[in-house]
């Protein structure tokens, strides 16, 4: 059985459906928050709030620990700060990529928890 249809009307409806689907989708971005090993409590809390907000918005967060000069000889200090961050953000996100070194930077990625 063959059905006659208005091809222009069909293309119009398909384009509208595609535009509506595009409007409703949420693209996840990777937001970066940078830290240093000797970060003070206030600065830590300030950046923690930013990371928490990014996770609540549904974005991934890249936590970067930057080492300068002789700080590179004590990577365990930077790792401690990153692990403290994951504990503080545990109710909002989970670890996607564990801390790893890239030159003078150590970074890890957190993803938001699905509700």
């Amino acid at each position: 059985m063959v059905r006659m249809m208005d091809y222009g009307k069909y293309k119009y409806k398909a384009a509208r459906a595609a535009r509506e689907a595009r409007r409703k989708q949420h693209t996840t971005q990777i937001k970066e928050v940078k830290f240093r090993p000797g970060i003070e409590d206030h600065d830590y809390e300030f950046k923690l709030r930013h990371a928490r907000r990014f996770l609540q918005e549904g974005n991934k967060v890249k936590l970067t620990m930057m080492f300068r000069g002789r700080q590179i000889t004590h990577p365990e200090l930077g790792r401690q700060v990153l692990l403290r961050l994951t504990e503080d953000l545990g109710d909002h996100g989970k670890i996607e990529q564990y801390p790893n070194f890239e030159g003078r930077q150590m970074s890890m990625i957190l993803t938001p928890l699905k509700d």
Side-chain angles (χ1 to χ4, degrees):
M1 183 167 155
V2 177
R3 191 174 136 208
M4 295 293 291
M5 61 186 283
D6 185 357
Y7 186 68
K9 184 177 179 181
Y10 167 76
K11 290 287 286 179
Y12 172 75
K13 284 187 175 181
R16 262 184 91 170
R19 186 174 37 228
E20 188 69 25
R22 239 188 344 265
R23 210 178 86 211
K24 289 186 178 180
Q25 78 180 3
H26 175 73
T27 57
T28 60
Q29 296 178 329
I30 296 182
K31 304 282 190 170
E32 185 175 21
V33 183
K34 294 184 177 184
F35 294 88
R36 299 284 305 281
I39 191 165
E40 294 294 326
D41 288 336
H42 178 266
D43 299 332
Y44 174 84
E45 294 295 329
F46 186 81
K47 292 184 178 205
L48 176 69
R49 281 195 302 270
H50 281 289
R52 186 175 291 134
R53 189 185 75 219
F54 294 149
L55 287 171
Q56 287 172 345
E57 291 171 357
N59 296 311
K60 293 183 179 182
V61 177
K62 181 177 183 181
L63 303 171
T64 303
M65 181 62 58
M66 301 179 303
F67 296 95
R68 286 197 348 214
R70 295 182 184 169
Q71 291 175 339
I72 199 79
T73 59
H74 296 286
E76 67 276 1
L77 298 176
R79 189 177 302 272
Q80 285 175 358
V81 174
L82 289 177
L83 294 177
R84 180 178 159 202
L85 274 162
T86 57
E87 290 173 10
D88 292 342
L89 294 172
D91 53 342
H92 296 287
K94 64 178 188 267
I95 299 175
E96 178 180 292
Q97 179 183 352
Y98 284 89
N100 65 332
F101 257 106
E102 301 162 359
R104 290 191 158 270
Q105 294 183 347
M106 182 187 295
S107 62
M108 68 185 301
I109 297 178
L110 298 178
T111 58
L113 293 175
K114 301 291 182 203
D115 291 334

